[in-house]
Amino acid sequence: DRLLAASHPKPLRFVTMENDQGLNVDLYIPRKCSWTKRLITAKDHAAVQINIGNVDPATGTYTGDYQTFALCGFVRTKGEADLALSTLLAQQAQN
């Protein structure tokens, strides 16, 4: 019985830290790459998150809101970050 119990550990439960209001207060919330949909891990030090400001088409001034894009280190290492960002912005402009 002991050998069988040791080879079958208890299933993992995901525990989240919540404050008194029930809001998530975890220290690390993983992100996903906007281009590849890969998970950006804590050890991916080449990953970046970029905020692109929205501009009013009539006046050309910044409206105060922005779009956030995250790019993983894999995309940046391959030299495709500029292609990824310009394509993502074109897709946002169509929506």
Side-chain angles (χ1 to χ4, degrees):
D1 283 332
R2 280 194 172 164
L3 182 61
L4 185 61
S7 64
H8 294 287
K10 293 180 181 179
L12 295 176
R13 290 186 354 200
F14 291 101
V15 178
T16 61
M17 294 181 60
E18 294 181 353
N19 61 8
D20 295 337
Q21 292 81 25
L23 298 174
N24 187 6
V25 290
D26 283 335
L27 295 177
Y28 175 70
I29 299 173
R31 297 173 292 162
K32 288 182 80 172
C33 178
S34 300
W35 182 246
T36 62
K37 306 301 185 223
R38 289 181 177 203
L39 187 67
I40 298 175
T41 63
K43 294 294 182 179
D44 188 355
H45 298 295
V48 293
Q49 181 169 321
I50 302 172
N51 293 333
I52 306 291
N54 294 336
V55 177
D56 183 19
T59 61
T61 58
Y62 175 60
T63 61
D65 52 343
Y66 53 86
Q67 297 288 328
T68 302
F69 298 101
L71 297 174
C72 63
F74 172 75
V75 173
R76 297 187 66 216
T77 302
K78 289 184 65 171
E80 296 182 357
D82 55 343
L83 171 69
L85 193 57
S86 61
T87 305
L88 288 168
L89 287 170
Q91 289 174 353
Q92 286 291 326
Q94 290 177 356
N95 294 338

